[in-house]
Amino acid sequence: MSDAATGNGTQVIYDGHIVRLELLEGKWEIVRHADAVAILALNDSGEMLLVRQRRRAIGTSTVEAPAGLIDAGETPEQAARRELQEEVGLDGDMTLLTRFYSSPGFCDEELYIFEARGLRESKLPHDEDEEIEVVWIPPQAVLDGLRDGTLVGSATTVAAALYALQRVAAR
Amino acid sequence: MSDAATGNGTQVIYDGHIVRLELLEGKWEIVRHADAVAILALNDSGEMLLVRQRRRAIGTSTVEAPAGLIDAGETPEQAARRELQEEVGLDGDMTLLTRFYSSPGFCDEELYIFEARGLRESKLPHDEDEEIEVVWIPPQAVLDGLRDGTLVGSATTVAAALYALQRVAAR
């Protein structure tokens, strides 16, 4: 957050744990949110790792790529490696596939999508109060999920689409 | 918004024009935001339509697929056709490609991605105070933009990835 963002017609409406809501020039409602990472983790059979978790914002459980916020002082790659170890007990070699803003019309959250290969067991403690169930889905289910809306988050959709693109291009 | 969402431990912190901020059970910060559409519009040369516009939330101008909020009473397809006519003066035949939540960890905004073919001129007045510049980019630039972060919004990234997938699959 630059100093400029807090002056010059910006009113802070709420400054919370993960969300900061600002009103710019008396009319633009802007949500500030930490940047995040998501991981396209693939095993030797080409299956994609997903996690099922409760998402209160949309009132349901979802199946998504492992993901999480980037902590202060972390690089996106460090966050990706930490999240994968915390959520599913795996570490891997990370390659940045792409980055984008989740919803740039009103929110500054940027998402970094990593591909993880060479997966190996490496567990870090996971202290959030959420239960996470791990699901591996085969390549065809990734393609199907892209179309039927099973893969619900933008990070997961992008990861699945880029994976499908790799698969089709390699044919 | 269901009645249930406003009771039972939910505190409304701010209820604004496009954003409603709630605190669930005293700790979960949830942003309610209208659903939105984005359009993968393709001309006969296979070029993808993008619009350049100022995005205050991220402090810059972006190049994104045409997009906008779904108005009350509109279907997602109606919103897609209206937005394309308002933003770039074109109508087209819409096919839903996919849908996803922009950031389901804290926000309920759902995005519907349509492909528009058979483009024809059809202008609707555009009353928002934003200048929009239209850019057509060739297929290779779509692929490049997927990787280098030029295409900054999740809707645009998904649209571009699905378009790249179509192109590669058709080879």
Side-chain angles (χ1 to χ4, degrees):
Chain A
M1 179 89 43
S2 69
D3 288 345
T6 55
N8 197 20
T10 298
Q11 176 192 351
V12 178
I13 292 169
Y14 176 81
D15 194 4
H17 182 58
I18 64 161
V19 164
R20 177 186 167 106
L21 179 62
E22 297 178 355
L23 193 65
L24 265 62
E25 300 163 29
K27 66 174 177 177
W28 303 97
E29 295 160 358
I30 306 291
V31 171
R32 310 266 174 219
H33 185 276
D35 295 338
V37 294
I39 303 119
L40 168 64
L42 302 165
N43 66 18
D44 292 342
S45 307
E47 294 172 322
M48 177 178 172
L49 174 64
L50 297 174
V51 293
R52 190 185 305 276
Q53 57 192 314
R54 185 172 167 203
R55 288 301 201 182
R56 288 164 183 81
I58 58 174
T60 188
S61 289
T62 62
V63 180
E64 293 172 62
L69 304 184
I70 302 173
D71 288 342
E74 271 186 328
T75 64
E77 180 174 340
Q78 287 167 343
R81 293 187 60 188
R82 175 182 52 73
E83 284 291 339
L84 196 60
Q85 292 175 82
E86 287 178 356
E87 291 198 354
V88 299
L90 292 172
D91 195 5
D93 305 315
M94 299 285 171
T95 307
L96 181 65
L97 290 180
T98 192
R99 52 194 281 187
F100 56 86
Y101 292 91
S102 58
S103 197
F106 78 101
C107 180
D108 69 352
E109 179 193 28
E110 191 165 12
L111 292 167
Y112 294 76
I113 313 296
F114 286 89
E115 177 173 331
R117 294 276 190 171
L119 299 175
R120 58 253 180 196
E121 286 189 23
S122 176
K123 205 162 181 56
L124 282 177
H126 192 241
D127 58 7
E128 289 170 52
D129 55 348
E130 51 181 323
E131 279 181 47
I132 286 182
E133 177 196 345
V134 172
V135 184
W136 288 95
I137 65 169
Q140 187 57 49
V142 176
L143 275 169
D144 295 343
L146 261 180
R147 295 188 177 111
D148 67 15
T150 311
L151 309 174
V152 300
S154 65
T156 309
T157 304
V158 168
L162 294 180
Y163 180 45
L165 194 55
Q166 285 180 17
R167 298 277 304 187
V168 172
R171 265 184 206 157
Chain B
M1 177 92 40
S2 70
D3 288 346
T6 56
N8 195 21
T10 299
Q11 176 192 351
V12 177
I13 292 170
Y14 177 79
D15 195 4
H17 183 58
I18 63 161
V19 164
R20 176 185 167 105
L21 178 62
E22 297 178 356
L23 193 65
L24 267 62
E25 301 162 27
K27 68 173 175 177
W28 303 97
E29 296 160 359
I30 306 290
V31 171
R32 311 267 174 219
H33 185 275
D35 295 338
V37 295
I39 303 119
L40 169 63
L42 301 165
N43 66 17
D44 293 341
S45 308
E47 293 172 321
M48 176 177 174
L49 174 64
L50 298 174
V51 293
R52 189 185 305 274
Q53 57 192 313
R54 185 173 167 200
R55 289 299 202 182
R56 287 166 185 79
I58 56 173
T60 187
S61 289
T62 62
V63 180
E64 293 173 61
L69 304 183
I70 302 173
D71 288 343
E74 270 186 328
T75 64
E77 179 173 340
Q78 287 167 343
R81 293 187 60 190
R82 175 183 52 73
E83 283 291 340
L84 197 60
Q85 292 174 83
E86 288 178 357
E87 289 198 355
V88 299
L90 292 171
D91 196 5
D93 305 316
M94 298 284 172
T95 306
L96 181 65
L97 291 181
T98 192
R99 52 193 280 187
F100 56 87
Y101 292 90
S102 58
S103 197
F106 78 102
C107 179
D108 69 353
E109 180 193 28
E110 193 166 11
L111 292 168
Y112 295 77
I113 312 296
F114 287 90
E115 177 173 330
R117 293 277 191 171
L119 298 175
R120 57 250 180 201
E121 285 190 22
S122 175
K123 205 160 181 56
L124 282 176
H126 191 243
D127 57 7
E128 289 170 52
D129 55 350
E130 50 181 322
E131 278 181 48
I132 286 182
E133 176 196 346
V134 172
V135 184
W136 288 95
I137 64 168
Q140 187 56 50
V142 175
L143 276 170
D144 294 344
L146 261 180
R147 295 186 179 113
D148 67 14
T150 312
L151 308 175
V152 300
S154 65
T156 307
T157 305
V158 168
L162 294 180
Y163 179 46
L165 194 54
Q166 285 181 15
R167 297 276 305 188
V168 172
R171 264 185 209 160

